[in-house]
Amino acid sequence: MDQEDGGRYLGAPVAKYKEICLWIKKCLEDGGLKPGDKVESEHSLCRRFQVSRQTVRHAIAVLEEEGIVERYRGSGTYISDLSRISPKKEKTMQIAVMMTFIQEYIFSSILRELEEQLSNAGYSLQISVTNNSVEKERCILKNILNKNIVDGVIVETTKSGLPNPNLDIYRKIMEQGIPVLFINSFYPQLEAPHVSLNDKMAGKMVTDHLLQCGHRDIAAIFKGDDGQGHQRYLGYLEALMEAGVQVCDRRIIWTDTEMLADLEQIESWIIHRLEGCTACVCYNDVVACKLISACKKNRIEVPGDLSVISIDDSDLAVFCEVPLTSAKNPVQDLARAAALEILDMISGKKAPPSTELETEIVTRASVVVLGQSAGYTSGL
């Protein structure tokens, strides 16, 4: 028998890496190793079991996934505090998916991809919708906590740009051993991984695109109650400052979920705030389409008088009255990554603290290069 692939432990043939795992577990049972004790070095284990370093590292990785050991770079491998490891519960093959919205915009594409990936792994989805309401989020979370019948939770955050009163319930769910993964945004106060677009980079890239097209008087409309809006705002600021363009607070407009649903009521206020600007960064395609509609009513030509750029590259960007230049949000890749990460977390693997996907600009008709439009004027 190949020494790398198999051997015997207590009379039963096992793979060599498993033999190492069983030996360390036996040392724990016998009291030879205790929580906090340092495990023999890789070199020592190689000699003890007559195996390669690769085999030893594989064994340690398996023990680490099981929560039995912890590795510290430059120090070594130590026995974990086993009292902190929650006992594994029986799998239900159910995963809760909580979204803010479901039938519109990019949300249905995310849900379809989650359903495909997770159903292929044998899981059923329990889908809930918050409508971006903190109270609805709380009711759904209490139901998940009290019933305790899911193996994992994927959550699109609710108003993540504001203080959230439901963090205590999230913590109780995680204390039950149910992994929680956030999608699209996250709550920075919680130690839970998230999968999202790199929103700061997206905000920077769309602003940089306008700067490269010769624009300097650049307004922006962001959503203040969602964390994505804050990150996209940071990217916008960074692009302007790197270009040596002065930031003008008057040109930055903040909306929220309720205001966005009734944006027509404040059109004149928005148009007034954009006076003197040649371009506008929009939080997403929904905001951009509403802005273009307002411009049309006020006889402002897009892009002749005002260039408009947005983020997400949804169907709205394609079918908008003026097709939108927009930063792509790879929602299928995002949902696929979220599905794979929650499956890893359910199996006991450690997920990365965050996965933020890169973007690219998709150019269409809503942005003009200054000097290339005969009808261009310097202000509104």
Side-chain angles (χ1 to χ4, degrees), residues 155-264:
V155 181
E156 186 187 22
T157 52
T158 297
K159 296 185 177 177
S160 53
L162 303 176
N164 189 291
N166 300 328
L167 301 184
D168 59 324
I169 309 181
Y170 280 111
R171 292 189 180 98
K172 289 176 182 177
I173 290 172
M174 291 187 283
E175 286 169 5
Q176 286 188 349
I178 301 173
V180 174
L181 175 74
F182 293 109
I183 191 169
N184 279 336
S185 189
F186 61 100
Y187 299 120
Q189 302 89 345
L190 292 177
E191 293 184 5
H194 70 271
V195 179
S196 70
L197 175 67
N198 187 331
D199 288 293
K200 180 181 176 182
M201 180 58 66
K204 187 175 189 298
M205 286 182 68
V206 293
T207 310
D208 278 336
H209 183 78
L210 293 175
L211 290 165
Q212 291 163 11
C213 290
H215 297 276
R216 291 295 181 272
D217 299 313
I218 303 172
I221 304 175
F222 295 112
K223 199 160 175 273
D225 57 349
D226 285 340
Q228 300 101 308
H230 293 216
Q231 291 299 312
R232 293 172 188 184
Y233 166 68
L234 286 175
Y236 163 83
L237 292 181
E238 187 172 295
L240 291 182
M241 288 189 278
E242 285 183 1
V245 175
Q246 184 176 358
V247 177
C248 178
D249 291 336
R250 182 183 179 279
R251 293 173 175 171
I252 302 168
I253 299 167
W254 290 96
T255 68
D256 59 25
T257 301
E258 288 70 29
M259 190 185 300
L260 185 56
D262 203 19
L263 205 63
E264 293 79 5

Side-chain angles (χ1 to χ4, degrees), residues 349-364:
K349 296 179 182 178
K350 289 184 178 179
S354 66
T355 300
E356 297 186 347
L357 280 63
E358 300 302 315
T359 185
E360 59 183 359
I361 302 292
V362 180
T363 57
R364 297 190 181 89

Side-chain angles (χ1 to χ4, degrees), residues 60-122:
I60 296 299
V62 170
L63 291 169
E64 188 176 26
E65 286 181 9
E66 294 177 1
I68 293 173
V69 301
E70 295 175 335
R71 285 188 285 188
Y72 297 93
R73 185 182 296 275
S75 178
T77 302
Y78 295 82
I79 299 298
S80 303
D81 181 357
L82 303 180
S83 65
R84 293 183 295 141
I85 303 173
S86 301
K88 292 187 176 179
K89 66 184 184 74
E90 194 86 19
K91 283 190 176 180
T92 66
M93 303 308 293
Q94 299 278 329
I95 293 176
V97 177
M98 186 164 64
M99 303 290 290
T100 53
F101 301 99
I102 195 170
Q103 295 294 342
E104 55 188 270
Y105 201 44
I106 62 174
F107 308 111
S108 57
S109 297
I110 292 174
L111 192 59
R112 281 196 302 270
E113 187 66 28
L114 285 175
E115 197 280 329
E116 180 178 347
Q117 295 295 325
L118 295 174
S119 64
N120 286 342

